[in-house]
Amino acid sequence: MRVVLAEDLFLLRDGLVRLLEAHGFEIAAAVESGPELGRALAELDPDVAVVDVRLPPTHTDEGLQCALEARRRRPGLPVLVLSQHVEQLYARELLADGRGAVGYLLKDRVFDAEQFVDAVRRVAAGGTAMDPQVIQQLLARKSGDDRPSARLTPREREVLEEMAQGRSNAAIAGKLVVTERAIAKHTANIFAKLGLEVSDDDNRRVLAVLAHLDHGR
């Protein structure tokens, strides 16, 4: 699996290269600026891009914008964005086209090698990997008494957070140490309470949940 990596800090970039190569990824390019990223994405046609939001020369959201432009040229290009802080605007921009194959993680997650590599693989396979803190902020904003999410039980909210991160029923069941049948019941209740159409497609249901949580911002 070929990866284009963009990170301006040398030590972190080198560490990510070594980590990904150790897990069987091929690094097609490892760059440190927006212009370099734009060229790499246009010329190398990677399987997935792992991109720091803030890159030189502007150090604003240049990495994100390069990735979004690449997705406009190649719809569905898998992109995993790394950010120092939670910025819901970044998540919204990534999710805007509804195609999936996107992820948004805080850089702290990189230090959990298993979680980070799983996110890269999930995004490359067309799935969605959203940082738990993004989900928690969206849930907090939608948790007023007059909001549908306020009707969720504590366990349903727990399942919803896992679901919105891109995990399947089987993966959620394993993490929460319950049966997959129990998780299926919880997810059905969640979709009913949120007024969403039930779907067996993991990525489609993630996008539906995130769109609901972000509606009416």
Side-chain angles (χ1 to χ4, degrees), residues 87-103:
E87 293 285 352
Q88 292 180 27
L89 175 61
Y90 299 157
R92 288 200 296 269
E93 290 193 67
L94 279 171
L95 293 162
D97 65 11
R99 293 178 180 272
V102 293

Side-chain angles (χ1 to χ4, degrees), residues 128-162:
T128 307
M130 303 304 292
D131 196 279
Q133 288 194 33
V134 176
I135 306 305
Q136 289 168 9
Q137 285 198 17
L138 290 172
L139 273 171
R141 194 178 57 195
K142 294 283 287 188
S143 62
D145 292 340
D146 60 337
R147 304 295 179 89
S149 55
R151 299 197 293 268
L152 301 180
T153 67
R155 175 59 96 180
E156 288 168 353
R157 287 176 65 87
E158 192 174 12
V159 171
L160 176 62
E161 289 187 25
E162 296 296 325

Side-chain angles (χ1 to χ4, degrees), residues 117-134:
V117 170
D118 176 68
V120 176
R121 287 183 172 143
R122 195 186 315 160
V123 169
T128 307
M130 303 304 292
D131 196 279
Q133 288 194 33
V134 176

Side-chain angles (χ1 to χ4, degrees), residues 15-33:
L16 289 174
V17 167
R18 293 172 184 271
L19 173 62
L20 290 169
E21 287 181 336
H23 284 82
F25 294 90
E26 175 188 347
I27 305 301
V31 303
E32 61 180 341
S33 71

Side-chain angles (χ1 to χ4, degrees), residues 63-187:
L64 175 66
Q65 295 307 321
C66 285
L68 292 175
E69 175 59 30
R71 277 176 67 91
R72 284 189 282 270
R73 292 194 307 267
R74 177 186 152 188
L77 168 69
V79 172
L80 175 62
V81 164
L82 304 178
S83 178
Q84 196 69 43
H85 308 287
V86 174
E87 293 285 352
Q88 292 180 27
L89 175 61
Y90 299 157
R92 288 200 296 269
E93 290 193 67
L94 279 171
L95 293 162
D97 65 11
R99 293 178 180 272
V102 293
Y104 177 87
L105 293 182
L106 292 182
K107 285 189 175 181
D108 288 348
R109 310 292 173 194
V110 172
F111 298 105
D112 183 330
E114 183 178 347
Q115 184 180 39
F116 173 68
V117 170
D118 176 68
V120 176
R121 287 183 172 143
R122 195 186 315 160
V123 169
T128 307
M130 303 304 292
D131 196 279
Q133 288 194 33
V134 176
I135 306 305
Q136 289 168 9
Q137 285 198 17
L138 290 172
L139 273 171
R141 194 178 57 195
K142 294 283 287 188
S143 62
D145 292 340
D146 60 337
R147 304 295 179 89
S149 55
R151 299 197 293 268
L152 301 180
T153 67
R155 175 59 96 180
E156 288 168 353
R157 287 176 65 87
E158 192 174 12
V159 171
L160 176 62
E161 289 187 25
E162 296 296 325
M163 186 194 311
Q165 291 172 50
R167 293 189 172 89
S168 66
N169 282 0
I172 298 171
K175 182 173 182 179
L176 300 184
V177 196
V178 296
T179 66
E180 190 171 346
R181 182 176 180 181
I183 296 300
K185 183 177 180 180
H186 286 311
T187 57

